[in-house]
Amino acid sequence: MQVTVVVNGTEYVREIEPRLLLVHFLRDTLGLTGTHWGCDTSNCGTCVTWLDDVPVKSCTVLAAMADGHEVRTVEGLATAEGLDPVQQGFSDKHGLQCGFCTPGMLMTSRWLLDHDPDPSEETVREAISGQICRCTGYENIVRSVRAAAELQRAARTEGAQA
């Protein structure tokens, strides 16, 4: 079957097998390997992408379900101006160790900050509760998301003064 999917602002038209999962479409068909494939059961959250601005676990979404829709992956976070504040926060506060869960954490964190620009520690923990990190114990991840919120506020203040 043929699908047309806009991924990170670029339209792709591809012939796919109807049972192809979105995570495999992104990684194997489009070569966007930033989205990781972990458990294939929606437990770990490493495969989180956005489907029409809603975080989804792409290991449980068929690529055919994305036909006619927009998908955003971790590759779509950075811009020509630089890293997304979430990426910068994770870098500054050491929110990753092995990096396997990081793409999903970044996508979930970006969504959270888009909907709550000043989340509490509890809110951050709740937002990332559907994702498993086996390395960090989540402390630095929470610090990273809160640092990203501070970076965003500073950028908005700077932009308002310019």
Side-chain angles (χ1 to χ4, degrees), residues 10-156:
T10 301
E11 183 177 275
Y12 296 91
V13 178
R14 297 290 190 276
E15 285 292 327
I16 63 164
E17 210 281 336
R19 296 176 293 167
L20 181 69
L21 294 172
L22 181 57
V23 66
H24 298 303
F25 176 75
L26 295 169
R27 292 180 60 80
D28 303 334
T29 304
L30 300 184
L32 298 172
T33 57
T35 301
H36 292 168
W37 176 44
C39 66
D40 218 11
T41 62
S42 81
N43 288 317
C44 72
T46 64
C47 66
V48 170
T49 60
W50 292 6
L51 182 60
D52 291 336
D53 296 324
V54 176
V56 297
K57 293 181 178 179
S58 62
C59 72
T60 61
V61 175
L62 295 172
M65 296 167 69
D67 185 33
H69 296 275
E70 292 188 29
V71 173
R72 187 173 184 196
T73 70
V74 69
E75 288 93 347
L77 287 179
T79 65
E81 290 80 43
L83 295 177
D84 182 275
V86 173
Q87 292 170 308
Q88 191 63 56
F90 270 67
S91 176
D92 293 348
K93 299 297 179 182
H94 311 288
L96 59 100
Q97 284 185 11
C98 81
F100 195 74
C101 71
T102 304
M105 290 285 188
L106 291 171
M107 296 306 293
T108 299
S109 299
R110 173 75 271 141
W111 185 89
L112 171 63
L113 294 180
D114 285 350
H115 293 84
D116 182 352
D118 189 21
S120 66
E121 178 179 333
E122 182 179 308
T123 300
V124 173
R125 287 183 181 279
E126 183 178 333
I128 64 171
S129 66
Q131 294 168 280
I132 297 172
C133 174
R134 291 180 172 94
C135 298
T136 67
Y138 301 94
E139 289 299 320
N140 287 348
I141 293 170
V142 173
R143 283 189 198 109
S144 298
V145 177
R146 296 198 34 142
E150 291 176 27
L151 289 169
Q152 281 187 174
R153 279 193 300 280
R156 286 187 184 123

